[in-house]
Amino acid sequence: MKVSALAVAQVGLLNVLPATAEYVWPSKHDAMEDLLVLQGGYIREGFIDGITPCTRNPSAPGRQTAAEWIRTAFHDMATFDNATGVGGLDASIQFETGRAENAGDAFNGTFGFTNNYYSIRTSAADLIALSTVLAVGNCGGPKIPLRVGRVDATEGGVLGVPEPQQDLDTHKKMFAKAGFSTEDMIAMVACGHTMGGVHGKTFPEITENNTESNVVHFDSTEATFDPKVATEYLDGTTQNPLVVAHNDTLNSDKRIFAADNNVTMKALASDPKTFQSMCADIFERMIDTVPSTVTLTEPLEPTPLKPYIISFTLTNATHITLTGRIRLLTSSDRSEDERVTLTYTPRTAPAGNSTLNTTIATDPASFKSGLSNGIFGELFKWHEFSLALPVSTSIKSFTATVTRVSTGATTQYDNAGHGYPLDDTVLYQDRQSCRIDNDATIVAAVRKSVNASVVAKVARKFPKQGTLVPGIEVEEWKGTVGEEVGDYKLVTMKGQQLPETYSTQFDIVAGDSSVEYLDTNVLGSKDCQAF
Ligand code: HEM
Ligand SMILES: *[C@@H]1O[C@H](CO)[C@@H](O)[C@H](O)[C@H]1NC(C)=O
Ligand SMILES: *[C@@H]1O[C@H](CO)[C@@H](O)[C@H](O)[C@H]1NC(C)=O
Ligand SMILES: *[C@@H]1O[C@H](CO)[C@@H](O)[C@H](O)[C@H]1NC(C)=O
Ligand SMILES: *[C@@H]1O[C@H](CO)[C@@H](O)[C@H](O)[C@H]1NC(C)=O
Ligand SMILES: *[C@@H]1O[C@H](CO)[C@@H](O)[C@H](O)[C@H]1NC(C)=O
Ligand SMILES: *[C@@H]1O[C@H](CO)[C@@H](O)[C@H](O)[C@H]1NC(C)=O
Ligand SMILES: *[C@@H]1O[C@H](CO)[C@@H](O)[C@H](O)[C@H]1NC(C)=O
Ligand SMILES: *[C@@H]1O[C@H](CO)[C@@H](O)[C@H](O)[C@H]1NC(C)=O
Ligand SMILES: *[C@@H]1O[C@H](CO)[C@@H](O)[C@H](O)[C@H]1NC(C)=O
């Protein structure tokens, strides 16, 4: 790590960051970090809406979304082959919902929700991992570290998800194939079966009641991630249908829980803290079981200070508008006592000896107190800015200073020594862009000095047979150079059909410069305006 004068002021922050995971903005994983930490408040992704409340799915009697999300992760992972590195958490389950070993509503139910967040930067497999982390963390369980970078399978994998009627030896072999010991198996099953239950609709032979809404829970607190599954098993009060089914062949939990003479179950039951840490551990390993070709990141941690660029656009021949927000990790005792100012470096030094005021003021957002929160105690305050920059000097990067109003103490944020970069080579022109019916027009302002051709790379989504998850194909829309505006030329890229239901993202690329991950929703249903 580069040691600088600024690093000294950040010691307090560095303490909470894993040393190996120095975050640099922008990152391809910014979108996943947003989904992990922005659950409530002023600006939110609201992924936990899908599991609120933990008790049930408000629109489907007998179903419990938080439990379904956890089961989906297990069934996707279960067929991993540790010897060959094939399979694991790769969203192949999307193609396998018709298999007997994947009976039930859980799997399409999970994708029906995660699809709202699925994109070229947020794979279905990463969303499954995220959904497990949030289902557990939001329903009384521990914080499971979330690494990202999973890659989606393009077809179904091998068979081999455990089923209740199989014997203990078969189950041991299945878990061993996936890289888990007998003790791992016991912990993973017990931690999984602290939520939800068995549905009569799907497993009438187990619940002996095939009523549509019938469900028999694994423990008396099916909506809370707690040790009851273990304590009730050991004290003989359990109603777990995979322990007390009349047909003993179907009692897989009974066989598994006793597989090491109850040693693991006794550890899980010993105290709630032990249960939480053992479950966090085994679930972390479960969601990080990925194909050997995949490299996961370090666990995501809330970024201390994260810029969001709302618009960076050519206003007229002489000025660029820059509008954005700074998301500052804070706490309730200091969120109102902090002010953020930015200091920028111009792209071109001002001519002669004229001076430039390179300070950018920000305003604390006030709607909903300008605060957002996560479920693991994260609190963020938003600080907003908007300014016009002369094209002649423009901007290359900025740094941020956070000042405590009460004490005057300051903390510098310099993006791990890089400054927060802004490249004005290619600017997205929202006013000139539009979509009319299915004809989309994307307009960019590109510096005249750029010789490279300009293309829009649109991550087009398309429906696929046999799975709820759409495919994504990157389509290139070639740019046509049009009028010149000062130092810039306008480039127009046109393409067809971007229905709302398949809203997606696009990049505008010119040589080494690009504007990335813009939402097609910004094209709106509006007319294109002339410059
Ligand atoms: C030998 C291994 C396992 C067997 C035979 C097994 C079997 C079952 C069965 C039959 C159900 C009922 C499904 C339904 O009616 O919809 C179920 C539910 C569930 N399983 Fe497992 N399971 C195993 C391991 C696991 C593991 C390792 C996890 C997670 C880590 C897990 C998580 C869940 C959850 C959360 C539910 C409740 C789903 C709901 O309420 O909709 N299971 N399991
Ligand atoms: C899984 O495979 C890896 C690499 O092939 C190996 O080092 C490890 O021991 C295996 N784990 C188990 C539990 O078999
Ligand atoms: C079957 O399940 C339904 C729904 O949970 C319940 O109302 C009914 O009483 C059950 N029938 C029997 C015979 O237990
Ligand atoms: C494990 O615990 C269960 C439930 O208390 C009990 O029925 C069983 O006999 C125990 N098995 C062993 C090997 O201790
Ligand atoms: C118990 O379940 C097994 C597996 O589904 C089945 O083959 C067997 O016939 C069942 N036994 C009874 C008595 O229903
Ligand atoms: C260009 O935009 C800037 C910033 O909005 C404004 O101050 C300036 O007057 C505009 N110039 C013209 C010619 O409209
Ligand atoms: C500014 O430029 C003028 C003309 O070149 C020069 O006379 C003057 O000393 C410069 N001022 C500063 C502060 O450099
Ligand atoms: C520079 O700009 C900032 C932000 O707009 C403003 O608060 C400050 O007063 C300006 N400084 C000077 C010397 O004009
Ligand atoms: C621009 O590209 C064209 C075609 O590739 C090439 O002939 C020309 O030399 C390039 N000009 C510059 C300034 O790079
Ligand atoms: C899940 O959805 C896909 C796509 O619509 C469908 O082909 C598949 O049959 C569904 N699976 C189940 C179990 O309903």
Side-chain angles (χ1 to χ4, degrees), residues 99 137 302 313 319 328 344 355 378 426 477 483 507:
R99 298 179 179 180
T313 195
H319 283 80
L328 181 65
Y344 77 90
T355 56
E378 310 94 333
V426 181
W477 298 358
E483 79 177 281
D507 299 344

Side-chain angles (χ1 to χ4, degrees), residues 206-341:
I206 298 176
T207 72
E208 298 179 48
N209 181 337
N210 65 3
T211 311
E212 170 81 15
S213 64
N214 174 260
V215 47
V216 182
H217 296 125
F218 293 121
D219 69 16
S220 60
T221 52
E222 77 280 0
T224 310
F225 200 92
D226 66 6
K228 286 272 164 61
V229 61
T231 56
E232 291 173 2
Y233 162 75
L234 289 171
D235 70 18
T237 61
T238 188
Q239 298 299 307
N240 179 340
L242 296 178
V243 174
V244 302
H246 289 129
N247 184 341
D248 205 39
T249 306
L250 302 170
N251 281 326
S252 54
D253 279 8
K254 181 178 161 189
R255 291 184 290 272
I256 287 170
F257 291 173
D260 68 351
N261 296 320
N262 293 335
V263 172
T264 301
M265 292 306 281
K266 283 177 182 158
L268 286 166
S270 62
D271 78 289
K273 278 209 177 81
T274 306
F275 181 82
Q276 302 279 339
S277 73
M278 286 176 73
C279 291
D281 210 65
I282 195 68
F283 274 22
E284 176 179 3
R285 287 178 55 203
M286 176 175 82
I287 64 175
D288 289 351
T289 294
V290 295
S292 58
T293 48
V294 171
T295 305
L296 297 177
T297 64
E298 288 296 310
L300 297 184
E301 287 295 332
T303 306
L305 184 145
K306 191 172 175 184
Y308 292 71
I309 303 302
I310 298 167
S311 95
F312 188 36
T313 195
L314 190 66
T315 315
N316 57 33
T318 57
H319 283 80
I320 289 168
T321 300
L322 173 61
T323 306
R325 297 187 179 100
I326 300 295
R327 191 197 78 187
L328 181 65
L329 184 63
T330 186
S331 61
S332 53
D333 60 325
R334 62 170 202 268
S335 65
E336 295 311 304
D337 189 39
E338 289 167 327
R339 294 293 178 274
V340 178
T341 51

Side-chain angles (χ1 to χ4, degrees), residues 25 223 337 436 509:
W25 180 87
D337 189 39
I436 295 157
V509 182

Side-chain angles (χ1 to χ4, degrees), residues 67-68 71 74 162 188 192-193 196-199 203 218 252 256 283:
E68 291 184 355
R71 184 169 180 243
F74 171 61
M188 203 193 294
H193 290 173
V198 178
H199 295 84
F203 292 95
F218 293 121
S252 54
I256 287 170
F283 274 22

